[in-house]
Amino acid sequence: MDVVKTSSELLEAFRRHELAIARLYEAYAQRFPEFEKFWMELSRDEIQHADWISELTARVEDGSDCFVVNRFPIEAVEHSIAYVEGLANSPGQPDFLLMNAVSTALYIEKALIENKYFEVFSGDGVETKRILNTLAQSTQSHYQRVHKVWQELG
């Protein structure tokens, strides 16, 4: 089995997962125009996360200091992508409330943190460590921002 190919496939799934979350937040922005800025900022951040994962993928493929720790089977990531993509249809329902969107986002961000989603990557290089640290901090920031709105909505 080609470890780099398998790692690259897993990383591509993680990148697609981030993009699925970005699309979900875009759908929320369209559904709740009074919170459009909030949702679009989160969406842009998710796209940035996908870009950072692409950088890490390149580092894995060129044999740099980054490698993948196989903590998640690719099927689990694919399942999560399908779940998030399915959620993107929810905002179109007439009874879908802002609290539903915020609760869902809170669940997603919390799951990423609790499952140590970005610990699938490892590496000793300065740039790899910087990207991984930034990904972790950004996800934590998302959770805190969404949690604040969730509390305000009560």
Side-chain angles (χ1 to χ4, degrees), residues 2 122 151:
D2 185 346
S122 190
Q151 287 179 313

Side-chain angles (χ1 to χ4, degrees), residues 115-134:
N115 291 321
K116 298 178 181 175
Y117 184 74
F118 294 114
E119 288 184 16
V120 70
F121 306 99
S122 190
D124 294 328
V126 173
E127 184 62 13
T128 296
K129 286 182 178 181
R130 184 196 65 76
I131 293 170
L132 292 172
N133 193 29
T134 305

Side-chain angles (χ1 to χ4, degrees), residues 36-53:
E36 179 180 19
K37 183 178 184 236
F38 171 77
W39 292 116
M40 289 308 295
E41 285 175 358
L42 293 176
S43 177
R44 280 189 294 276
D45 288 351
E46 295 298 339
I47 292 168
Q48 180 64 63
H49 294 178
D51 290 344
W52 289 333
I53 291 171

Side-chain angles (χ1 to χ4, degrees), residues 42-151:
L42 293 176
S43 177
R44 280 189 294 276
D45 288 351
E46 295 298 339
I47 292 168
Q48 180 64 63
H49 294 178
D51 290 344
W52 289 333
I53 291 171
S54 292
E55 286 183 45
L56 292 172
T57 302
R59 297 177 81 72
V60 167
E61 290 174 348
D62 73 9
S64 293
D65 61 356
C66 184
F67 57 92
V68 175
V69 179
N70 287 320
R71 292 186 59 240
F72 298 102
I74 195 165
E75 296 81 12
V77 181
E78 294 288 348
H79 177 76
S80 187
I81 292 168
Y83 171 73
V84 172
E85 288 174 341
L87 291 172
N89 297 323
S90 300
Q93 303 300 319
D95 60 343
F96 190 78
L97 305 173
L98 178 59
M99 186 56 134
N100 298 121
V102 173
S103 295
T104 299
L106 191 63
Y107 169 78
I108 290 170
E109 298 296 339
K110 185 177 182 181
L112 292 174
I113 293 166
E114 287 181 350
N115 291 321
K116 298 178 181 175
Y117 184 74
F118 294 114
E119 288 184 16
V120 70
F121 306 99
S122 190
D124 294 328
V126 173
E127 184 62 13
T128 296
K129 286 182 178 181
R130 184 196 65 76
I131 293 170
L132 292 172
N133 193 29
T134 305
L135 276 166
Q137 288 175 354
S138 183
T139 303
Q140 185 66 41
S141 172
H142 279 198
Y143 175 79
Q144 291 168 348
R145 288 163 52 196
V146 174
H147 189 259
K148 181 179 182 217
V149 172
W150 183 79
Q151 287 179 313

